[in-house]
Amino acid sequence: MVDNQIEVCNCGEIHSEELQKIRTEMPDVTLIHRLADFFKILGDPTRITIVFALLEKEMCVCDIATLLNMSQSSISHQLKTLKIARLVKYRRSGKTIFYSLDDRHIDEIVSIGVLHTKEGNDGK
Amino acid sequence: MVDNQIEVCNCGEIHSEELQKIRTEMPDVTLIHRLADFFKILGDPTRITIVFALLEKEMCVCDIATLLNMSQSSISHQLKTLKIARLVKYRRSGKTIFYSLDDRHIDEIVSIGVLHTKEGNDGK
DNA sequence: TGTATATATGAATATATGTTCAATTGCACA
DNA sequence: TGTGCAATTGAACATATATTCATATATACA
């Protein structure tokens, strides 16, 4: 990324040296993109519901589909997304494949999300 | 939502009584949607960068735009999104408007996200 | 080896969403 | 009151993405 900054305004509320200092304290671009990708995973109702389900116990694809009342194909697609993001892992047992959570931070992060959600108790 | 479940398979890995039990332990649909909306907010590089910036100090719109090297309009749009989601608040001071974080859980949740991101240290 | 079952995959479609561009609003100050 | 600046807003556009449908894999079992 080239460093030619847009000249936006002259408000000068923060001097450019301070902006420069803040810039050095910010996480690097790669980390930010990975972080955003991580949160994006949890930002879909289907996927986070799957996470909640797997928080209860390991399940096979068709169990999850039945639980969520959705097609097996769409669950499979979402599980693939979760798998790539390393949020779930799987094991094969004959014909069926069991999925389970693969991140020890997930319950923690989801719990905090619930806190935030319940505090802002507005009708959306 | 009607409760006519799709009959997906007969794998029967989990009996329907157990699925029913798990169903009762799952968060309700409204909470899940709010949670997904919350995580979706953090699931965009621009928005999470804004959050990181505001973690450092309160800033006006043009400062953020300069810092992120983005147009002031797009920052303003994103700030509106963050505002609606109650992640940021603002105060007016003359012509400029200062934004700051409005959620005491944010640094916590972002920190855990960073943990997850750094542990899965694959080259994506 | 052939059939049945659980899961995965690819293409297509519909929808959601981030940024830009062109205005407009709100406040300050001369 | 009128000009200037910071910020907001709405429409348009391009891109991303969730689900569906049809089909392909992979394993079990007869």
Side-chain angles (χ1 to χ4, degrees), chain A residues 79-107:
Chain A
L79 283 171
K80 185 179 186 178
T81 303
L82 289 164
K83 196 165 55 188
I84 291 173
R86 293 174 176 274
L87 291 195
V88 304
K89 61 182 190 292
Y90 64 96
R91 69 179 177 87
R92 173 150 227 149
S93 167
K95 278 182 295 186
T96 78
I97 294 181
F98 287 96
Y99 280 88
S100 57
L101 293 181
D102 189 26
D103 190 307
R104 54 206 166 90
H105 303 301
I106 289 197
D107 53 346

Side-chain angles (χ1 to χ4, degrees), chain A residues 9 11 25 56 62 103 116, chain B residues 9 11 25 56 62 103 116:
Chain A
C9 71
C11 77
E25 283 166 4
E56 297 292 328
C62 81
D103 190 307
H116 166 88
Chain B
C9 72
C11 77
E25 282 166 6
E56 297 292 329
C62 81
D103 189 306
H116 166 87

